[in-house]
Amino acid sequence: MKIFFLLLLAGAALLLFYTVMKAKNYAGKDRSTAETDDVEFHDQQLDQYFTLSYRGYRMIGEKHIQPKEDSIEVTKVVMTAAQPTRLTGFCRNDLYMMEECILQHFPYTSIEWRHPINELVLTEI
């Protein structure tokens, strides 16, 4: 009977250890890998950087602000891939969808893409 309780206690300890490790792995995962066709735009108004994700591809944008005639506008956005090695299957249509979203938020901006995405750009905006 004593051995049965020790085995039961050891099994409970292993189950608890497994649950804790699984929870730590889930909390550390990048949740931007969802395969959705929606473009998600996350911007903090006071920050210089913003993130943009589309179909699991996550980009980081750097805003450059300059004064215009009667206001201050974002005039240039420099985009880089958060994880360039995960860009398999990325195509021009994905790029154009992201550019469309950026231009909705910052209509007077020029967009510059950094390597390796700049290889897909046909015309500079």
Side-chain angles (χ1 to χ4, degrees), residues 4 17 29 32-33 35 41 51 60 72 78 80 85 108 110:
F4 174 74
F17 178 75
K29 279 193 176 181
S32 67
T33 60
E35 288 291 326
F41 186 87
T51 60
I60 299 172
I72 296 175
V78 179
T80 57
T85 58
Y108 305 111
S110 65

Side-chain angles (χ1 to χ4, degrees), residues 31-93:
R31 291 185 183 89
S32 67
T33 60
E35 288 291 326
T36 62
D37 286 340
D38 296 333
V39 179
E40 296 178 19
F41 186 87
H42 303 284
D43 183 21
Q44 304 280 329
Q45 289 297 327
L46 300 176
D47 287 344
Q48 183 179 0
Y49 296 97
F50 64 92
T51 60
L52 181 69
S53 58
Y54 175 68
R55 295 182 60 200
Y57 304 114
R58 199 177 78 178
M59 306 292 169
I60 299 172
E62 180 181 356
K63 299 183 277 189
H64 296 272
I65 300 172
Q66 289 183 349
K68 287 285 190 179
E69 298 162 357
D70 59 346
S71 64
I72 296 175
E73 296 288 335
V74 177
T75 57
K76 183 179 179 182
V77 172
V78 179
M79 299 296 295
T80 57
Q83 297 172 332
T85 58
R86 298 183 73 196
L87 289 176
T88 57
F90 189 80
C91 63
R92 282 193 180 113
N93 290 335

